[in-house]
Amino acid sequence: MNVLRSLKYRNFKLFFYGQSVSLIGTWMQKTAVSWLVYRLTGSAVLLGIVGFVSLIPSLVLSPYAGSYIERHNRFKVLVYTQVISMIQAGALAAMIFFKFYSIPGIVILSLIQGVINAFDITCRQSLMVEMVDNKEDLPNAIALNSTMTNIARIAGPAVAGIILSTLGEDFCFISNFLSYIAVLTCLFMMKLNLAAVVKPQTDIWTELKEGFKYVSGNKDISSMVIMLGLSSLFVIPFNTLMPIVAKDLFNGNAKTFSWFESTAGLGSVISAIYLANLKNSKGLIKIITAASLLFGTSVLFLAYAKALPVALFFMTITGIGMMAQTSAINTFIQTNAAPNMRSRAISYYVMAYQGIIPIGSLMIGLLANSMGPRAAMGIEGIIGIVSALLFILYRNRVSEGHIFGRNKTMFAGD
């Protein structure tokens, strides 16, 4: 099948299978943490705080991580991040297994995971190009990676919902700890022919400046990073309120909450399969534009959905819009960034995506606490629509500038 063509490469196939198991465990733990915190505290603010500390390190550390990874063996860095993640998951599992329900402990361990992720995500994304022999298949590999992530987003919460209501929270955390065995086994089976890392003549801070100069000077990449940053700040954090929506607005339980997570994941898979079928990276800007409009609109409709089936339908549409937006931007950056700047360019993508979400999570937690979850999500949906319209306006001006520039060159030639 054309959609699975990247799986013919042994290294990518091993990476794909190992990460599939691990990410299901990650989403089980994420679902269990959100439900546990809200069950123990009933606080929208604390939900926002947990989301904040788990992602804020990406905002601070991602540019540094991008430069650090370019100076070291990326495969070794990836192995180290997985081992440390396994230790963190084991500590959290032990805490819950022994009924040591400490909110500060959960916050601290979430912060540690956030620091690990700042390096892990940038490293995984920059290694993708090394796992695919034919670079024309790179967009397909990125889309398949996103598909795998979002299938895990469906399966993880769905399984977590069943386990939370039958076996208990500790089984979710233990399952995540054990899932790292699969990813580490697959990593050690891979055979990557990475070029030897040449020690740069410049220091890491100079490379940081070069990376910023490159990204800010590239109108296409910088506009997409800004667009993603706005989405991460004002739209994507709507998902932080899902435990409140499930429990308070629809009088549900942990299983109801898992339905919201799983339907968003279903939408993401639909979107990822569409992206995986693209034959090349042309037309990504149009996809980003349409997806951004769809995302903002669906969040707005979700905010005021009165019936559970209607809410779950619009939750599915949010998954389609968010996945298409974030994955298309990721694909564009990876396929258009200069090779010597790829890790640093990806690090700004991670910063705009993962790093800014926690600020938005904290903001929407406070907003929902003061004016209710529906109004808070409604505001986020409107901001998403406005952001997409501004992106369209900017892109049109850039296109007109290119045409004008070409015309000036033609007249000069005449």
Side-chain angles (χ1 to χ4, degrees):
M1 290 178 64
N2 185 55
V3 71
L4 300 175
R5 62 185 182 273
S6 296
L7 292 180
K8 65 187 176 185
Y9 305 110
R10 182 177 184 275
N11 288 323
F12 180 74
K13 181 164 63 176
L14 286 168
F15 173 81
F16 183 89
Y17 291 152
Q19 288 291 326
S20 296
V21 175
S22 180
L23 286 171
I24 289 175
T26 298
W27 274 100
M28 288 175 64
Q29 177 173 291
K30 183 178 183 295
T31 303
V33 166
S34 295
W35 184 257
L36 178 65
V37 169
Y38 193 62
R39 180 179 69 80
L40 293 176
T41 67
S43 171
V45 175
L46 277 173
L47 271 178
I49 289 173
V50 170
F52 178 84
V53 299
S54 66
L55 295 173
I56 193 62
S58 292
L59 177 63
V60 180
L61 296 175
S62 286
Y64 175 84
S67 297
Y68 177 89
I69 289 164
E70 285 189 351
R71 300 166 70 94
H72 295 82
N73 185 301
R74 285 170 287 171
F75 179 75
K76 288 183 178 179
V77 173
L78 182 60
V79 171
Y80 294 151
T81 60
Q82 296 301 303
V83 170
I84 299 170
S85 293
M86 186 178 188
I87 294 170
Q88 183 270 352
L92 188 55
M95 188 173 75
I96 304 305
F97 181 79
F98 292 108
K99 311 297 182 187
F100 182 64
Y101 295 130
S102 168
I103 297 300
I106 292 173
V107 169
I108 291 170
L109 287 171
S110 297
L111 177 62
I112 292 170
Q113 187 61 58
V115 173
I116 299 166
N117 284 343
F119 290 84
D120 177 69
I121 295 171
T122 302
C123 189
R124 273 190 284 133
Q125 294 291 342
S126 64
L127 261 178
M128 201 81 65
V129 70
E130 306 293 345
M131 300 178 195
V132 180
D133 298 337
N134 186 345
K135 303 316 171 197
E136 290 184 1
D137 288 330
L138 180 60
N140 176 259
I142 294 169
L144 280 182
N145 183 57
S146 298
T147 304
M148 170 251 293
T149 301
N150 288 288
I151 288 175
R153 187 179 179 181
I154 296 173
V159 174
I162 296 170
I163 292 177
L164 285 170
S165 58
T166 55
L167 301 175
E169 293 140 349
D170 50 351
F171 279 86
C172 286
F173 294 104
I174 293 169
S175 297
N176 182 46
F177 169 71
L178 295 175
S179 72
Y180 283 99
I181 296 173
V183 70
L184 286 169
T185 300
C186 288
L187 284 176
F188 288 126
M189 291 173 65
M190 291 170 64
K191 295 177 181 178
L192 288 173
N193 295 317
L194 297 177
V197 179
V198 179
K199 189 174 178 65
Q201 299 299 314
T202 56
D203 60 64
I204 197 167
W205 302 110
T206 301
E207 290 189 358
L208 276 169
K209 292 176 185 177
E210 290 174 353
F212 176 77
K213 186 177 179 180
Y214 172 77
V215 171
S216 60
N218 187 308
K219 288 184 178 180
D220 288 331
I221 293 177
S222 62
S223 65
M224 291 180 191
V225 168
I226 292 170
M227 175 68 199
L228 183 58
L230 289 172
S231 185
S232 297
L233 182 63
F234 295 114
V235 193
I236 295 175
F238 86 95
N239 199 46
T240 304
L241 302 181
M242 286 307 104
I244 302 171
V245 172
K247 188 172 185 292
D248 296 347
L249 299 187
F250 293 101
N251 300 312
N253 53 23
K255 191 174 291 187
T256 312
F257 171 47
S258 73
W259 290 345
F260 278 96
E261 293 287 355
S262 295
T263 50
L266 174 62
S268 297
V269 169
I270 293 169
S271 190
I273 291 173
Y274 168 76
L275 291 170
N277 272 303
L278 295 177
K279 291 187 171 28
N280 52 55
S281 58
K282 293 179 181 178
L284 285 175
I285 292 176
K286 290 182 179 179
I287 292 173
I288 292 165
T289 302
S292 300
L293 278 171
L294 181 66
F295 187 25
T297 303
S298 58
V299 171
L300 179 60
F301 279 105
L302 171 64
Y304 296 101
K306 301 296 183 182
L308 180 59
V310 176
L312 292 174
F313 169 77
F314 284 115
M315 192 69 180
T316 305
I317 305 302
T318 66
I320 293 174
M322 184 175 74
M323 169 65 206
Q325 181 195 59
T326 56
S327 185
I329 291 174
N330 182 15
T331 303
F332 186 94
I333 292 173
Q334 292 216 41
T335 53
N336 286 273
N340 66 319
M341 289 287 177
R342 186 176 288 114
S343 291
R344 279 174 275 186
I346 292 170
S347 73
Y348 280 93
Y349 164 83
V350 174
M351 182 181 71
Y353 182 26
Q354 298 273 19
I356 294 180
I357 287 177
I359 299 175
S361 295
L362 196 58
M363 286 171 54
I364 196 171
L366 295 169
L367 192 63
N369 203 49
S370 62
M371 60 191 306
R374 289 195 187 276
M377 285 193 296
I379 291 171
E380 293 216 321
I382 292 170
I383 293 174
I385 295 169
V386 172
S387 298
L389 294 174
L390 290 174
F391 180 75
I392 293 170
L393 181 63
Y394 175 79
R395 293 301 314 175
N396 288 340
R397 288 187 175 180
V398 169
S399 298
E400 289 171 3
H402 286 165
I403 294 170
F404 181 70
R406 284 197 298 269
N407 288 341
K408 280 182 68 177
T409 303
M410 289 171 63
F411 284 123
D414 292 340

